[in-house]
Structures are given as structure tokens and as C-alpha cells.
Amino acid sequence: MNALLRYCRWMAGFCLLGLSLTTAAQVKTADIEQLRKDMYRLFNKPDSLQQYIQVTNQLIELSKQSNNEELLYKTWSNQAIVLPAHGKREQALEIVKEMSEYAHKNNSKYGLFVSTYTNAQISSALMMEKQAEELLLECIKYKEQYLPNQNISFVYLGLAKIYYNRLLKDKVLEVMEKALREPNLLPEQRVQALAYKFMAVTLDENDKETYKSYYAELEKARKETGISTSVCRKADIYYAEKMGDYEKMLALVKNIPSPLDRMSMTARAYKKLGRWEEAYDLQLKFKRYNDSVNSEKLRNLSLNHSLALDAARAENEAKDLKLKNQQLELEHISDELEQRRLKEEALNLSLENQSVELRNRDIELQHTAVKMKNDSLDRYNKDLQLSEYQSKMEVQKQTEHANRVFMTMLGIIAALVIASLAFILYRRNKHSKEIETAYDKLEDAYDKLGEAYNKLEETTTAKERIESELRIAREIQMGMVPHVFDAFPKELGIDLYASMTPAKEVGGDLYDFFLKDKKLYICVGDVSGKGVPASMTMAVAVNLFRSVAKEGFTPAQIAMQINKTLSVDNENSIFVTMFIAEIDLETGRMDFCNAGHNSPVIVNNQLKPGNPNRAKYIDMESNAPVGLWPELEYVGESIDNIKGYTLLVYSDGLTEAENEEQEQHGEERLLELMREDEFVNAESTVNMILGDVATHVGSADQSDDLTILCLKID
């Protein structure tokens, strides 16, 4: 009876547990469905970005917990695609990176496919259409290889947009036919494909009947599905234009969500209506909106500066050409050094193999000598055994046979001795020839070893020559930054000192300063990466800063001009963090712009050393590094008066310097040093910091370029 009660209690508990798990699963499923609806509801609402990010983050976590692979990567992709429209391009790229790493870690073919497509969408939003096309074509190959049942009509739609922008009618029609043949085609995708087909025929067709035929097919699909996308609205505008209804075209343009497309198509409608003045004004507005850098330049430059700016551009083009030639020469030297290194490694392997072969020959000779000695001992033992046997035989024989046996034994002994001697002579002669042959081979091996040594000596000489050329390149690079710090007039009260220590033969850090009309211009920068590519970008950035700053631009304008030049054809995505400042020596006002660089330290010298309020990091606007995208705008800031203050600008090689335990020097340690510094002069402050970094690093290798600039104005 008791056993039955225990069984019933156990079954009741098990049922309650199963019921609770089922309820939890139903709640999680309901949460996922509600979050999925919220995600698509907020997708195209620009004022709900923060709420959209919260919803998608929750949906990502629940998708991971429930192992819903398709929903997980779709949510991740939607989140990354929305961010560039709000100016958060770097965050979008980080999400794509995180998504692809997660897919790779979990061996998800679908995840890698969605990551590639999302990256293509972001590239298209950044106007990188060539890269976007390559990624979309890669999606198609990946689908054919790993996901044969996957619907990729959205991939073909992405290609259609790129080909339409390039005015490639046949390409657009080709990919749209493929999209319409995709299995499980969604109604929205079918409508978009028909819209692109109609827009494609408007590129070079002049037959109104053709337009009507394609547009009628689109209208039929829209009525059947009740769906109309932004592409459909563009198709309506083009149809009104081709039919000559320009007033309707102008009315439809107002519904275009993109400001650029809306302005462009409105100006086009004004031209068709003969409203030339309005079209001209709108084109000017479009140009200003599309190129904020040029509009800013037009607001700040007068007609008198135009000739000087043309001359500066010509000078920069000449310098760029010279720098590209120097870069090609350095790359050639680097390739030659790599080839030399490979040859040296091959030669070292050859020498090691020959050395091993010689050791094996020595071992074989030793084994041969031991074997000969063992053979001699065996023969000696056999002779002793034979003599003992003969002695016993002679004792046993009868006396009457003594003479005959004695003579017989003498004959046998003589024959054995002669045979033994002949055999020994034969064996010794044979072993002598083998030893002589081994000696000849050993002598040939030593000759080959001598030749290899001579080749190694030649390779070492060539290596030393290339290292000498790299040292010369380092001296050239170091010569591009100023090293004279006491040339300022004393009445200006400038105390400035700087130091730059590359981690390799050549580095990517930079600093520069010059005086113009009682205004001091300074900059400190850090190029992404190290070595020869970083050093070439460093040289370009220094020359750009000096040539642009001399034209009287503000620090923010200088950053925009440098960014515009470095972003052109930047296929390796090399960027530069920079701190740029302009200091009025009469008033002490400092205007500055920080482009992704470390925050400088400012020290109030009126407070005593040790005071916690004596030194602090400058709170600055967050701008992107230069060299990423040409259309970036940079925000400048200012400090009213820095006279009597110490300004310390540095690269991250200072705060991120690591010791053997991989502990960084750190921002707090630098701030403590500046609080305690009594400031004798700028040079002593820089040397004090370098000494503290050397003490912290110890015997560990320098991991990054290190640059420090210290300034005090009385």
C-alpha cells in the first residue's frame, strides 16, 4: 500500500513538471511571435530606432535559446540593415562581423549565407556597388552549393537595383526572370520584380505600347496582392513621364521617402514642365545635400582663395604621385627581402640535411669497425675450441698410432692455418676498400658543405643590404616630422616638445606643428596597422595636414579635407585617428577637432602637484577616424583659454604598452603621472613619461608605435 502511494505521488509530480515545462514553452513561443510582429512594425519607423534595437536584441536572445536558426539570422540581418540609414555604419558592420563569427562557430550554412547578403546590403547603402555585386554573386554560388531549396529572389532584387543604377537593361531583365522563377516566391518579391522589369525597359525603349504592356502586368500584380513598394512608386513616376503626364509625375514624386531621390525626380519633372528656374534651384539644393563637404567649402571660401586652392591641389597631386612611387619601391624591397628569406631558409634546410647525412655516415663507419672486431673475436674463439678438441683427441689415441696421428694432425693444422690466414687477408682487403670508399664520400660531402657555406655568406650580405635600405627608409620617415622645438620667438611663450618611437623599422604614428600669423597649428595621428603600408599613409597624412592647414581652415575643415582625400580608392580600408588643434597665441583660445583619437590630457599648473583636480582628460565630441567614407562631416570644439595649462597629446601606444604579463600601462596611470608632474619644461615631461613606460614594459617587446606631444603656452 505504501509503495502504491509513493508511485502515485511520483507520477503526480512528474505530470506537474511536464505541465510547467509545456506552459513555459508556450509563453516563450508567444513572446517570440509578439517580438517578431513588433520588429516588422518598427522596421521602417525612423523615430523608433532605440525601441527597434531593444526588440531585436530580445528576439535574438530568445531565438538562440529556442534554436530557431532562421529567425535568429533574419532578426540579426534586419537590425544591421536598419542602422546605416540612421548614420550608425560602424555599428552595423560590427553586427555583421558578430553574426558571421557566430555562424562560423556553430557551422551554420544558413547563417553564413545571411551574413554575406547583409554585408552586401550595407555595402550598397555605402555606395560601394562593386563590392555589393561581388557579395550578392557569392550568395548565389553559396546557395547552389549548400542551400539548394533556399529562395534567393531577394538576392536577385539586390542585383537588379545595382544593374539599374548602371543603366544595364539586359542585366536587369535577366536577373528578374531568375527571381520570378524562384520557388516559394513571396507576393511582395513578385511585385518588386515586375516593377524593375518595367523600369528596365524605360532605359532605352521609345514605344509607348511596350511601356503600357509591362506596366499593365505590374498593375495586375499590385491589385491581386494589394502590395505597393517604394520601387513601385518609382515605376509610377517613370510611367507618368513616358506617357507625358508631367503634372501627375510631379504629384507622385512627393511620396518618395528618400530625400535624394525626391529632389532628383522633382527637378526632372520641373524640366519636363519647362519650370527651369525651379529645376535649377532644386539641382543646387540636391548638390548641396549630396556633397556636404563641398557646400561647407563654398560657404567658407571666397573668390580670392580659389586660385590658391587650385595651386594647393596641384601640389598635393604631385606629392601623391611621388609618394606612390616611393610606396612601390618599398613594396619591391619588401618582396625582395621575403624572397631572400625563403632562399636562406631553404639553404639552412639543405645544410641541416647534409649534416644529418654526414652523421649517419659516421655511425655506419663505427658500426662497420665494431662488426670487424666482433668477427675477429669469433674466429679466435673458434680456433681455441678447435685446439682444445684436438688436444683431447690426441690424449685418447693409443700409443701405437701416435706417430701417424701426429703427422695427420700436423697436416690438418697446417691446412687450417693457411685457410684461416687466407680468409683473414681476404676480409681485411675487402673492409679496407669499403673504408676507402666511405672516406671518398665523406670528402665529397665536406666539399658540398663548403659550397653551401659560401652561398649562405652571399645571402647574409644581401640581407644586410636590405636591412640597411629599411634603416634609410626609417631615417626618411623620421625626417618628415619636425625635430627642432626651440625655434619659436621667445616673446610668444611657446614651450613644445614631441617624441615618436616606431615599433618596427618604419611606423604609422605622426605629429606635426607650425606657426602662422601668431597661430600655432598642431596635430598627432595614428595610422591603422604598422610597417610599410602604415608609414606611407603617415607620410600622406602629414603632407595633407600641413598643406590644408596653411590655407587657413578650421580644425574640423582640415579633418574633412584630409578624410575626403584619404577615402578615395582606399581599397585596404586604412584609416587614421587624428587630433588637430589651432591655438591663438594672443588670446590662448584653442579650436580643435578629434577624429577618433585618444582624449588629450590638460593640466592646470596653478594647482599644486598631487591635487586630484590638477589633471583630467578633455571631454570631446566623438568623430570617426579619417579615411573611411568621403561624405563624413566633422564637428569642431574649442577651449577659451589654455594659457598656463599643460596640454599632452599622445597615441594609444602609450596607454596600451604591455609588460611581460600583458598588463597595459593604462589611462589612470598616465593621469596620475600628470597630476604629480611639477613641469620643469615640455621635454622633461615627455622624457619622464617615456621613462615610466620603459619601467612598466621591462624586457617585453614594443607592441605599437608610441608618440607624445607636450605643449605649454605662457
Side-chain angles (χ1 to χ4, degrees):
M1 187 66 179
N2 292 333
L4 180 61
L5 287 173
R6 286 196 299 271
Y7 176 76
C8 292
R9 290 171 182 171
W10 181 82
M11 286 299 295
F14 181 78
C15 292
L16 289 173
L17 176 61
L19 180 60
S20 63
L21 291 176
T22 302
T23 304
Q26 291 174 349
V27 170
K28 183 179 290 187
T29 302
D31 291 342
I32 290 175
E33 182 61 25
Q34 182 59 46
L35 289 171
R36 188 185 67 81
K37 292 179 179 179
D38 291 342
M39 175 180 68
Y40 287 111
R41 177 175 56 83
L42 299 171
F43 186 83
N44 288 319
K45 293 186 177 181
D47 55 344
S48 303
L49 178 62
Q50 189 64 33
Q51 185 181 0
Y52 179 79
I53 295 299
Q54 293 176 355
V55 168
T56 51
N57 284 339
Q58 294 178 22
L59 191 56
I60 287 170
E61 290 302 319
L62 288 177
S63 300
K64 289 181 179 179
Q65 295 174 12
S66 60
N67 295 323
N68 192 334
E69 181 184 50
E70 182 176 357
L71 182 59
L72 169 64
Y73 291 108
K74 282 185 177 179
T75 306
W76 237 334
S77 176
N78 289 339
Q79 189 181 75
I81 290 172
V82 164
L83 289 174
H86 297 271
K88 300 182 180 296
R89 297 168 176 170
E90 292 184 16
Q91 187 176 348
L93 293 173
E94 287 296 326
I95 291 174
V96 174
K97 179 182 178 183
E98 181 183 358
M99 176 169 54
S100 60
E101 289 177 351
Y102 186 86
H104 182 71
K105 178 181 177 182
N106 292 276
N107 194 25
S108 173
K109 300 292 188 297
Y110 180 75
L112 292 174
F113 169 78
V114 176
S115 300
T116 305
Y117 171 74
T118 307
N119 200 0
Q121 289 293 94
I122 295 176
S123 297
S124 180
L126 298 177
M127 303 303 178
M128 300 165 64
E129 290 193 341
K130 182 177 181 182
Q131 179 176 329
E133 179 187 6
E134 293 175 355
L135 290 170
L136 291 172
L137 293 175
E138 192 67 29
C139 286
I140 296 174
K141 293 180 182 178
Y142 198 82
K143 177 259 184 184
E144 293 174 352
Q145 185 174 2
Y146 297 109
L147 305 167
N149 298 323
Q150 177 66 40
N151 180 339
I152 61 168
S153 55
F154 52 90
V155 177
Y156 289 124
L157 288 169
L159 286 172
K161 179 180 178 182
I162 294 172
Y163 293 148
Y164 179 78
N165 290 338
R166 297 180 187 172
L167 308 180
L168 300 176
K169 168 193 169 183
D170 294 336
K171 282 282 190 180
V172 176
L173 294 176
E174 178 186 350
V175 295
M176 288 301 91
E177 288 297 331
K178 292 181 179 179
L180 292 171
R181 291 198 298 267
E182 279 294 299
N184 304 319
L185 186 67
L186 297 176
E188 180 181 356
Q189 295 169 344
R190 177 169 172 264
V191 170
Q192 284 185 289
L194 293 174
Y196 271 118
K197 284 183 65 177
F198 167 74
M199 290 167 63
V201 299
T202 64
L203 292 175
D204 59 4
E205 291 284 349
N206 294 315
D207 185 7
K208 287 189 177 182
E209 294 301 322
T210 303
Y211 302 147
K212 290 180 180 179
S213 173
Y214 277 85
Y215 189 74
E217 186 178 7
L218 171 61
E219 281 293 281
K220 180 181 178 181
R222 291 164 70 176
K223 290 179 181 179
E224 291 175 353
T225 61
I227 294 173
S228 181
T229 65
S230 59
V231 180
C232 296
R233 288 191 286 273
K234 287 184 180 180
D236 293 338
I237 294 170
Y238 288 128
Y239 182 74
E241 180 183 15
K242 294 299 182 181
M243 295 296 107
D245 192 350
Y246 304 130
E247 291 292 346
K248 182 179 180 181
M249 176 184 176
L250 186 60
L252 292 173
V253 166
K254 296 179 181 178
N255 298 323
I256 297 296
S258 170
L260 285 174
D261 290 343
R262 188 166 59 250
M263 285 188 286
S264 175
M265 291 185 177
T266 303
R268 189 168 174 174
Y270 282 158
K271 289 181 182 179
K272 295 291 184 180
L273 291 168
R275 297 161 65 176
W276 303 107
E277 183 175 353
E278 292 175 281
Y280 176 75
D281 291 340
L282 195 57
Q283 283 181 332
L284 289 179
K285 183 179 179 182
F286 172 83
K287 182 174 180 60
R288 286 194 297 269
Y289 190 87
N290 189 45
D291 192 357
S292 60
V293 175
N294 287 337
S295 62
E296 183 68 15
K297 179 182 68 177
L298 290 174
R299 287 193 299 269
N300 290 278
L301 289 180
S302 65
L303 182 60
N304 293 330
H305 289 164
S306 62
L307 293 176
L309 192 58
D310 290 339
R313 284 197 296 268
E315 181 183 354
N316 284 335
E317 290 175 0
K319 289 180 179 179
D320 288 343
L321 181 59
K322 182 178 179 181
L323 288 172
K324 287 181 180 179
N325 291 333
Q326 291 178 352
Q327 182 178 7
L328 290 174
E329 291 177 2
L330 287 174
E331 289 176 354
H332 176 71
I333 292 172
S334 178
D335 292 340
E336 184 178 351
L337 182 60
E338 180 66 16
Q339 292 176 2
R340 295 287 187 181
R341 185 185 66 78
L342 293 175
K343 289 181 180 178
E344 183 179 345
E345 290 180 356
L347 184 58
N348 288 334
L349 290 174
S350 176
L351 289 174
E352 289 177 2
N353 292 335
Q354 291 181 4
S355 177
V356 170
E357 185 177 354
L358 288 174
R359 286 198 296 270
N360 292 336
R361 293 291 177 83
D362 289 339
I363 293 171
E364 289 179 1
L365 290 175
Q366 292 175 4
H367 288 170
T368 302
V370 171
K371 185 176 181 181
M372 290 179 63
K373 186 176 181 180
N374 291 336
D375 291 344
S376 177
L377 290 174
D378 289 342
R379 287 193 297 272
Y380 178 73
N381 290 333
K382 288 180 180 179
D383 290 342
L384 289 177
Q385 291 175 0
L386 184 58
S387 298
E388 183 180 357
Y389 176 75
Q390 290 174 350
S391 298
K392 290 180 179 179
M393 289 292 294
E394 289 177 358
V395 172
Q396 294 176 0
K397 288 195 180 286
Q398 296 179 358
T399 304
E400 62 270 20
H401 300 293
N403 292 332
R404 184 172 58 83
V405 171
F406 181 72
M407 293 301 294
T408 303
M409 291 303 296
L410 283 177
I412 294 172
I413 291 171
L416 289 173
V417 169
I418 293 170
S420 298
L421 290 174
F423 181 74
I424 290 171
L425 289 174
Y426 169 74
R427 293 289 295 179
R428 285 183 179 179
N429 186 38
K430 181 178 179 182
H431 286 303
S432 297
K433 290 181 179 180
E434 291 177 352
I435 292 172
E436 184 178 357
T437 301
Y439 176 79
D440 292 338
K441 292 181 179 179
L442 182 61
E443 186 176 6
D444 292 340
Y446 276 114
D447 291 339
K448 293 179 180 179
L449 182 61
E451 294 176 359
Y453 177 79
N454 292 333
K455 292 181 180 179
L456 178 60
E457 186 175 7
E458 293 175 359
T459 302
T460 303
T461 301
K463 180 180 178 182
E464 291 175 352
R465 178 178 61 80
I466 294 173
E467 290 176 349
S468 174
E469 292 176 352
L470 283 176
R471 285 195 295 272
I472 293 172
R474 177 190 178 99
E475 293 173 0
I476 293 173
Q477 182 190 14
M478 296 301 291
M480 297 185 71
V481 297
H483 294 281
V484 178
F485 307 103
D486 56 358
F488 300 108
K490 293 184 179 180
E491 61 270 16
L492 296 179
I494 300 174
D495 185 2
L496 186 149
Y497 188 79
S499 171
M500 185 173 73
T501 308
K504 293 186 176 182
E505 288 83 356
V506 289
D509 276 7
L510 61 100
Y511 73 84
D512 196 8
F513 58 85
F514 67 89
L515 186 65
K516 180 186 178 184
D517 298 334
K518 292 188 178 182
K519 288 188 178 181
L520 178 65
Y521 292 84
I522 65 171
C523 82
V524 174
D526 184 359
V527 183
S528 61
K530 293 182 282 297
V532 173
S535 70
M536 301 307 299
T537 304
M538 168 266 186
V540 174
V542 167
N543 285 319
L544 284 174
F545 165 74
R546 186 168 286 266
S547 60
V548 175
K550 285 183 178 180
E551 296 299 327
F553 288 100
T554 65
Q557 292 170 341
I558 293 171
M560 285 191 287
Q561 291 291 342
I562 295 175
N563 175 68
K564 180 179 179 182
T565 302
L566 292 182
S567 300
V568 177
D569 297 328
N570 188 7
E571 296 180 355
N572 295 323
S573 298
I574 296 177
F575 59 86
V576 186
T577 67
M578 296 187 75
F579 176 82
I580 303 170
E582 173 193 330
I583 303 167
D584 190 324
L585 299 177
E586 293 181 345
T587 64
R589 176 184 174 88
M590 181 175 75
D591 294 299
F592 62 91
C593 178
N594 184 58
H597 200 72
N598 300 77
S599 179
V601 178
I602 188 166
V603 182
N604 187 351
N605 294 320
Q606 297 177 358
L607 300 178
K608 293 182 179 181
N611 190 321
N613 297 321
R614 190 167 185 262
K616 64 179 182 179
Y617 289 103
I618 299 177
D619 187 14
M620 298 183 299
E621 181 73 23
S622 176
N623 289 308
V626 298
L628 292 175
W629 301 284
E631 70 273 12
L632 288 176
E633 290 190 10
Y634 288 83
V635 178
E637 301 172 83
S638 65
I639 297 177
D640 292 336
N641 191 356
I642 67 167
K643 286 188 175 183
Y645 288 78
T646 300
L647 178 69
L648 186 77
V649 191
Y650 57 93
S651 65
D652 58 7
L654 192 161
T655 54
E656 296 179 4
E658 296 182 347
N659 57 18
E660 292 181 342
E661 287 76 27
Q662 295 184 341
E663 297 172 341
Q664 294 187 350
H665 187 267
E667 295 180 349
E668 188 59 37
R669 180 166 177 169
L670 174 60
L671 200 61
E672 189 63 30
L673 287 174
M674 298 306 296
R675 287 170 180 161
E676 299 292 340
D677 183 36
E678 296 183 357
F679 192 83
V680 178
N681 53 46
E683 182 176 2
S684 66
T685 298
V686 171
N687 290 333
M688 177 271 294
I689 296 172
L690 290 175
D692 188 72
V693 172
T695 301
H696 171 76
V697 172
S699 59
D701 293 334
Q702 182 178 347
S703 60
D704 197 0
D705 304 332
L706 193 156
T707 299
I708 306 174
L709 185 146
C710 183
L711 170 67
K712 181 176 180 292
I713 299 175
D714 295 328

